[in-house]
Amino acid sequence: MHSIVKTILERLGLGVLTLFAVSIIIFSAIEMLPGDFGEAILGQRATPETVAAFRRQLGLDQHPFVRYIQWVLGAIQGDLGTSFSGRNASGVDRSREVVGLIAPRLWNTMFLASMTAIIAVPISLALGITTALFRNSVFDRSVNTATLTTISFPEFFVAYILILLMASLYPVFPSLANVDADTLIGERVYRTALPALTLTLVIVAHMMRMTRAAIINLLASPYIQMARLSGASQLEIIIKHALPNAWAPIATVIAFNLAYLVVGVVVVEVVFVYPGIGQLMVDAVRTRDIPVVQGCALIFAVTYILLNLIADIIGIITNPRLLHPK
Amino acid sequence: MTEKPNTYSALSEVGAIRENRTIFANIKISLLKSPLTARFGMVVILIYAVVAIFAPLIAPYGEAEVFPIPYAPWSSEFIFGTDQIGRDIFSRMVYGARNTVGIAVATTLLAFLIGGSLGLAAAINRSYLDLVFSRTVDVLMAIPQLIFALVLLSIFGSTVINLIMIIAILDSTRVFRLTRAVSLNVVVMDYVEAARLRGEGLGWVMRKEILPNILPPLIAEFGLRFCFVFLSIAALSFLGVGIQPPTADWGSMVRENASLIQFAKYDLKAGITPLLPAAAIALLTVAVNFVVDWFLHKTSGIRDE
């Protein structure tokens, strides 16, 4: 078999295994709840019968193995169970489907994340490559100091500084990013400007530093020096010699930071009261609504693992050494 | 410095009394040579430590003491005003240094205790132990840490003990990886084998033979991990699922007073009040990063380019 196909298949297999392990961890969240959580959710006036009915509805009378299979099959078909909230002691069930809660918010989160990515990726690649080329110049040093500082700042600090400057003192953008399904695309971009800007500032710092390190690492390798000695121009060295080897590290950097974005949205969504999946998850954690937490965690984890997997595969495909097996 | 003789003599070299510097003298010399950023970092860390230790003496009021005026402006009575239920913000910032930083230090220490000892054990005992630990860590690291922490907090509830345990265990995965990687190079050394051959136990070899040789990268990692843990705890408290009121904590203070920002146009001081605790978090993280940067530079033996 071709070595690339083999490596990719191996990597895919590993990814599936990781997904399997992660799904078990998230599933066992409901196993680890204390035994009396039925009373805690339904209220103290709940009769033993309603509690028993609630437990039966959750399938707690079945073997964990059976429930895991049902849960995974349901999740694949888009059924993540029902929320804990909306149930009460009298046994009246007004709870909502977890999928119904997540779906509209997932779209909002994706919108915010892709808007950030569209702004942040070109900026950080350009900054990373130019700082690597003009190493130790004033430009390089000032960019480095600036990014080192933003990395040390908590996300909500960056967010509130932006709100203070651009929404409160000089009202350019709204400080609350309240959008709904009917919001037009232009209005949507305007309202999500500040959250997207916050996330951009946070991930550009990481992405730019990693790109710079990857390129510097590459430029120090002997074959680049050889090309330079043989009289190739700077442009030629970069485009013809450095770039083919640089795709893998750059792809890794981008995917890694998009994965980082998955986590970053949680805090930023809460700051700007943006109706996304991160805010839903935080609210669910506060009210200990486990099915919703599980659903959100599953989506976050799967996105994170998939992005890392894609980065690995791009790294494998673009590796020139693997294209010509010995 | 004594005058050097022009000719080399082995006898005089052996005979010369080597001056042994004490540890303090060594520390003093490296401190004198430290760059400005590192000095700035150390001063900041020192100030935070003093504030945290002597919090009750520095704070004018108690951390949960409520006054009748909520959202009082900056004044000589309340230096940074009062918060939404009338607690003095300056006092809460001072106590916050004790609570937030204290919890972060405790968490980082615990993470190093767990991750470090398991990493060392895995590096020495390269059999099933290493395999089980490494694969477990791989899986744990496949889930974003904040998401994992949120899931665990929703199961066990947000108490300080749970918070410390959860973040410490999640963070120990990184410590485990680093410890295992650096000690793999040390474990194969002859002196480790000699120690094992003369019958020393696993614990002794870990403490006396390997640990001293992997200490510099671990100390640097401690600083970086502290920053990470500190920011995670601040983020969780900010989200309302970390340190719970009435305990004064910087992350939740930002959240509680955030609405003041919209008044920045009319009263700039009130507008920046919610940013003060956030700035306190950022300043400490920057300071620790500066010191770690210098320490890494010093111990890795890299000279300036």
Side-chain angles (χ1 to χ4, degrees):
Chain A
M1 211 191 318
H2 201 283
S3 61
I4 286 194
V5 182
K6 202 175 154 223
T7 329
I8 291 178
L9 283 181
E10 271 175 16
R11 197 63 200 74
L12 279 177
L14 208 62
V16 172
L17 267 181
T18 320
L19 277 179
F20 173 66
V22 166
S23 72
I24 287 186
I25 292 180
I26 294 176
F27 168 75
S28 45
I30 210 152
E31 296 299 304
M32 287 190 275
L33 282 177
D36 58 345
F37 81 101
E39 284 85 352
I41 289 160
L42 298 176
Q44 282 181 338
R45 291 190 296 116
T47 55
E49 288 78 39
T50 34
V51 173
F54 174 55
R55 292 182 71 88
R56 205 175 316 115
Q57 198 193 346
L58 284 177
L60 286 181
D61 48 352
Q62 280 165 320
H63 192 268
F65 178 72
V66 180
R67 264 182 301 134
Y68 173 72
I69 302 286
Q70 284 171 348
W71 183 71
V72 167
L73 288 180
I76 293 171
Q77 292 164 8
D79 173 20
L80 290 164
T82 51
S83 159
F84 276 175
S85 64
R87 297 172 192 272
N88 59 23
S90 57
V92 183
D93 188 359
R94 287 195 203 86
S95 60
R96 294 174 61 187
E97 292 273 314
V98 175
V99 175
L101 290 167
I102 288 181
R105 284 162 172 268
L106 183 61
W107 152 243
N108 284 343
T109 297
M110 301 270 268
F111 180 81
L112 177 59
S114 17
M115 188 166 146
T116 310
I118 290 170
I119 307 172
V121 172
I123 294 182
S124 36
L125 287 190
L127 277 179
I129 293 174
T130 42
T131 46
L133 286 181
F134 306 107
R135 211 169 350 149
N136 290 332
S137 64
V138 182
F139 169 67
D140 178 32
R141 282 195 195 139
S142 42
V143 170
N144 259 323
T145 321
T147 49
L148 194 65
T149 329
T150 35
I151 284 178
S152 316
F153 284 4
E155 282 114 346
F156 53 84
F157 188 40
V158 180
Y160 280 125
I161 290 178
L162 284 179
I163 291 187
L164 180 70
L165 291 178
M166 301 177 76
S168 188
L169 288 180
Y170 309 99
V172 190
F173 294 113
S175 63
L176 293 184
N178 48 340
V179 293
D180 52 48
D182 305 326
T183 317
L184 292 171
I185 187 86
E187 180 73 12
R188 206 175 254 267
V189 169
Y190 171 68
R191 285 180 184 220
T192 46
L194 280 188
L197 204 57
T198 310
L199 283 171
T200 306
L201 280 178
V202 174
I203 72 165
V204 158
H206 278 106
M207 229 193 281
M208 174 254 143
R209 287 178 76 84
M210 286 165 75
T211 316
R212 179 179 178 272
I215 302 272
I216 285 182
N217 204 4
L218 201 66
L219 289 181
S221 51
Y223 84 98
I224 296 282
Q225 209 154 22
M226 182 66 214
R228 200 166 278 154
L229 287 175
S230 69
S233 69
Q234 183 79 357
L235 194 71
E236 208 180 343
I237 288 175
I238 295 199
I239 291 182
K240 216 168 133 195
H241 300 280
L243 221 45
N245 266 321
W247 286 126
I250 289 178
T252 319
V253 169
I254 293 178
F256 181 84
N257 282 285
L258 292 186
Y260 178 85
L261 202 58
V262 170
V263 183
V265 290
V266 177
V267 174
V268 173
E269 278 177 9
V270 172
V271 174
F272 292 97
V273 204
Y274 184 75
I277 184 173
Q279 209 198 20
L280 178 72
M281 182 169 183
V282 172
D283 286 340
V285 170
R286 254 186 250 144
T287 53
R288 302 180 74 173
D289 191 344
I290 305 289
V292 179
V293 174
Q294 279 180 319
C296 297
L298 197 65
I299 289 177
F300 278 128
V302 168
T303 322
Y304 190 76
I305 294 171
L306 281 184
L307 282 171
N308 279 319
L309 194 65
I310 292 172
D312 276 356
I313 291 178
I314 291 179
I316 295 168
I317 292 175
T318 55
N319 189 342
R321 283 176 215 89
L322 286 176
L323 282 173
H324 309 286
K326 281 174 198 143
Chain B
M1 263 286 178
T2 50
E3 214 179 326
K4 274 187 183 167
N6 289 332
T7 50
Y8 176 76
S9 133
L11 192 68
S12 70
E13 190 187 311
V14 175
I17 301 165
R18 280 248 309 281
E19 213 181 314
N20 272 332
R21 289 186 192 134
T22 61
I23 298 175
F24 290 108
N26 270 330
I27 291 177
K28 201 177 150 193
I29 290 173
S30 33
L31 280 186
L32 284 175
K33 285 196 288 187
S34 61
L36 203 62
T37 48
R39 285 185 195 185
F40 166 78
M42 282 183 279
V43 170
V44 171
I45 294 173
L46 202 68
I47 293 174
Y48 273 67
V50 169
V51 170
I53 293 167
F54 299 107
L57 300 178
I58 298 170
Y61 309 105
E63 64 175 313
E65 208 176 326
V66 180
F67 294 94
I69 337 146
Y71 291 131
W74 291 20
S75 63
S76 53
E77 194 185 351
F78 306 111
I79 299 177
F80 293 142
T82 56
D83 66 4
Q84 82 282 10
I85 57 169
R87 291 171 299 194
D88 180 43
I89 289 182
F90 178 69
S91 304
R92 282 180 75 72
M93 294 256 317
V94 171
Y95 276 100
R98 174 177 267 197
N99 301 332
T100 318
V101 180
I103 288 174
V105 169
T107 311
T108 322
L109 282 174
L110 191 62
F112 267 76
L113 199 68
I114 302 171
S117 47
L118 292 186
L120 273 180
I124 298 171
N125 182 343
R126 301 290 317 278
S127 58
Y128 68 97
L129 201 67
D130 185 19
L131 201 71
V132 171
F133 286 156
S134 298
R135 290 294 86 77
T136 316
V137 163
D138 283 350
V139 172
L140 289 184
M141 284 176 78
I143 307 179
Q145 201 172 358
L146 187 69
I147 304 299
F148 209 158
L150 283 175
V151 172
L152 292 178
L153 281 172
S154 69
I155 301 169
F156 298 111
S158 304
T159 64
V160 169
I161 300 293
N162 284 347
L163 192 69
I164 292 179
M165 294 294 290
I166 289 170
I167 304 278
I169 289 174
L170 292 183
D171 219 56
S172 65
T173 53
R174 267 85 177 166
V175 183
F176 171 85
R177 278 226 175 143
L178 180 84
T179 316
R180 182 176 169 278
V182 288
S183 41
L184 276 183
N185 297 325
V186 180
V187 170
V188 291
M189 294 287 174
D190 288 342
Y191 57 80
V192 177
E193 199 171 353
R196 298 220 72 172
L197 283 177
R198 69 174 184 261
E200 306 290 3
L202 187 66
W204 201 91
V205 175
M206 270 160 69
R207 267 184 302 115
K208 298 276 177 177
E209 304 286 347
I210 301 176
L211 196 58
N213 289 296
I214 60 169
L215 217 47
L218 281 190
I219 292 177
E221 181 71 6
F222 187 86
L224 295 178
R225 282 291 110 207
F226 168 79
C227 289
F228 196 83
V229 165
F230 186 52
L231 289 178
S232 314
I233 291 181
L236 286 172
S237 303
F238 172 77
L239 295 175
V241 293
I243 304 169
Q244 297 295 323
T247 311
D249 156 72
W250 290 338
S252 38
M253 280 176 74
V254 177
R255 170 199 179 76
E256 285 161 5
N257 299 307
S259 55
L260 280 175
I261 285 191
Q262 51 186 317
F263 303 115
K265 239 182 159 167
Y266 314 104
D267 181 3
L268 186 63
K269 282 177 183 169
I272 60 171
T273 306
L275 290 178
L276 293 174
I281 296 170
L283 182 63
L284 182 61
T285 330
V286 174
V288 173
N289 266 329
F290 277 157
V291 176
V292 168
D293 224 34
W294 166 64
F295 184 80
L296 268 180
H297 198 75
K298 213 170 94 65
T299 51
S300 64
I302 304 167
R303 298 281 158 257
D304 288 318
E305 288 166 52

